Amino acid sequence: MARPVSGRRRPTIADVAAAAGVSRTTVSHALNGIGKVDPRTRARVREAAAELGYRPNLRAQRLRHGRAQTLALASSMPVAVAGGPSRLGFYMEVAAAAAERALTRGYALVLVPPVESGPGVESVDIDGAIVVEPEEDDPVVRLLRERGLPYTTLGRQLGGDDSAAVDLHGGAVAELLLEHLRERGARRPALITGAGTRHSYVDARTAYLRVAAEQGFEPVAPAAPEGGGEQAGYEACARLLREHPEVDAVCALVDAFAVGAARAAADAGRPVPEGLLLATRYDGLRAKTHRPALTSVDLGLGEAAGSAVDLLLNRLEGRGDPVAEAPLPRLVPRASTLRG
């Protein structure tokens, strides 16, 4: 058993090395998850460090390795879409999984406020970033490029480097939802997406237009401003129901829009699901707690976020792994599409 360091002196890497009976280099490799260290030796070193209360000197690590051992999770999505009143939406689910994966590889993860909220990736000391669902000319990506920092994206970026992206299967998700709506009796579904060039929106519109052509119905696909949140979804759905009363189902890609759409349908005398079928993309807290609960899709975000971290760290370590993909989307049927 390692003996505590006497007095108030902070334990050093030399103390850990002596306690574990190894070199200081082995301690560094074992604690930082690098090099070839026998698993039993690594465990012995970590046990000695814990018993001594050793904490690495982060400033010295930065000077020695040229790294902050810190990654950022960033997004240009407005809080009204990515978080919502509960602050437990899409972005936070990604953050939890990404932080867990980063920590297992010896890195911290910091959450960077959306661009709309003030200082972001330009103001933190990081080695690289994971950008959540960037737009074509994304301000976060632009800032990272200006700093010369590597990044990966969760969700492909139009015109971006797909070798550094985790594909979230935007087209397949839309097809899955539209197929389900048809199975539930919908013949004239509408699509509501966010305004912008996020790949998920573009892929969904492409899939929707193809399905409309194949099945012979008139496409109705308004785009709502992301920053408007639930109210933007309400206004988009209220307008399309007035102008296209034949619409019998709505696929609202953003869950905040779906909640607003349900309210608009009720105000129009067409409550969900009796008067209008409704489905959304993300199987998050909004979908689960809304009444009626919203049919949605399990995107496998935990695994996808972990893959994005791995891609970024592989880049930092000089390994060019191929593009990763999220698990295939899985439909989660709920009351909003189940009549009778």
Side-chain angles (χ1 to χ4, degrees):
M1 178 180 293
R3 295 181 179 179
V5 176
S6 61
R8 293 180 176 274
R9 182 172 68 84
R10 180 176 177 172
T12 67
I13 195 170
D15 296 321
V16 178
V22 298
S23 69
R24 285 182 291 182
T25 299
T26 299
V27 171
S28 178
H29 287 181
L31 295 181
N32 290 303
I34 59 177
K36 295 182 179 179
V37 180
D38 181 84
R40 291 171 296 182
T41 302
R42 191 185 303 276
R44 189 167 75 250
V45 168
R46 290 180 174 176
E47 181 180 356
E51 291 180 358
L52 291 171
Y54 171 75
R55 296 292 183 273
N57 186 320
L58 297 179
R59 181 173 297 177
Q61 280 189 343
R62 181 60 156 159
L63 292 173
R64 186 165 58 250
H65 301 299
R67 289 184 182 172
Q69 296 299 119
T70 302
L71 309 177
L73 182 72
S75 175
S76 61
M77 285 185 178
V79 171
V81 167
S86 67
R87 298 295 184 266
L88 294 174
F90 187 97
Y91 190 57
M92 293 309 297
E93 182 175 345
V94 169
E100 182 179 9
R101 182 64 59 85
L103 288 171
T104 64
R105 295 190 59 172
Y107 283 75
L109 184 82
V110 298
L111 305 186
V112 177
V115 172
E116 64 182 5
S117 303
V121 293
E122 76 278 14
S123 63
V124 291
D125 186 12
I126 55 174
D127 300 311
I130 300 100
V131 184
V132 180
E133 294 215 292
E135 295 201 78
E136 183 173 18
D137 183 23
D138 196 271
V140 175
V141 170
R142 189 163 58 247
L143 288 169
L144 290 167
R145 287 174 176 166
E146 289 173 358
R147 287 187 60 181
L149 289 172
Y151 64 90
T152 58
T153 65
L154 184 61
R156 292 156 52 221
Q157 181 187 19
L158 285 178
D161 178 7
D162 282 352
S163 68
V166 178
D167 189 355
L168 291 179
H169 307 293
V173 168
E175 290 176 359
L176 189 64
L177 290 169
L178 291 168
E179 180 182 359
H180 173 72
L181 291 172
R182 185 169 182 80
E183 289 174 351
R184 300 306 303 171
R187 293 297 177 265
R188 294 177 178 83
L191 175 73
I192 301 175
T193 66
T197 55
R198 301 193 197 282
H199 228 304
S200 59
Y201 301 160
V202 174
D203 289 346
R205 292 179 196 127
T206 300
Y208 174 74
L209 292 175
R210 182 174 62 251
V211 169
E214 291 172 354
Q215 298 180 4
F217 62 84
E218 179 187 357
V220 178
E226 290 179 332
E230 293 180 9
Q231 184 61 26
Y234 177 94
E235 293 171 1
C237 187
R239 187 180 309 112
L240 76 83
L241 290 178
R242 286 195 306 270
E243 297 175 358
H244 301 276
E246 75 281 2
V247 165
D248 55 9
V250 169
C251 176
L253 212 62
V254 177
D255 57 351
F257 293 168
V259 172
R263 186 160 51 90
D267 287 351
R270 299 181 58 182
V272 174
E274 294 83 1
L276 185 76
L277 300 179
L278 178 64
T280 191
R281 171 194 182 214
Y282 170 53
D283 184 39
L285 196 66
R286 280 191 180 101
K288 295 172 182 176
T289 60
H290 188 267
R291 292 294 175 266
L294 303 176
T295 288
S296 54
V297 175
D298 180 355
L299 300 172
L301 283 183
E303 186 174 336
S307 295
V309 171
D310 286 338
L311 278 175
L312 176 58
L313 292 181
N314 290 344
R315 279 198 154 192
L316 283 169
E317 296 166 4
R319 289 184 286 166
D321 287 1
V323 62
E325 292 187 352
L328 291 175
R330 181 179 64 85
L331 185 76
V332 184
R334 292 202 177 93
S336 66
T337 58
L338 302 177
R339 289 175 177 147

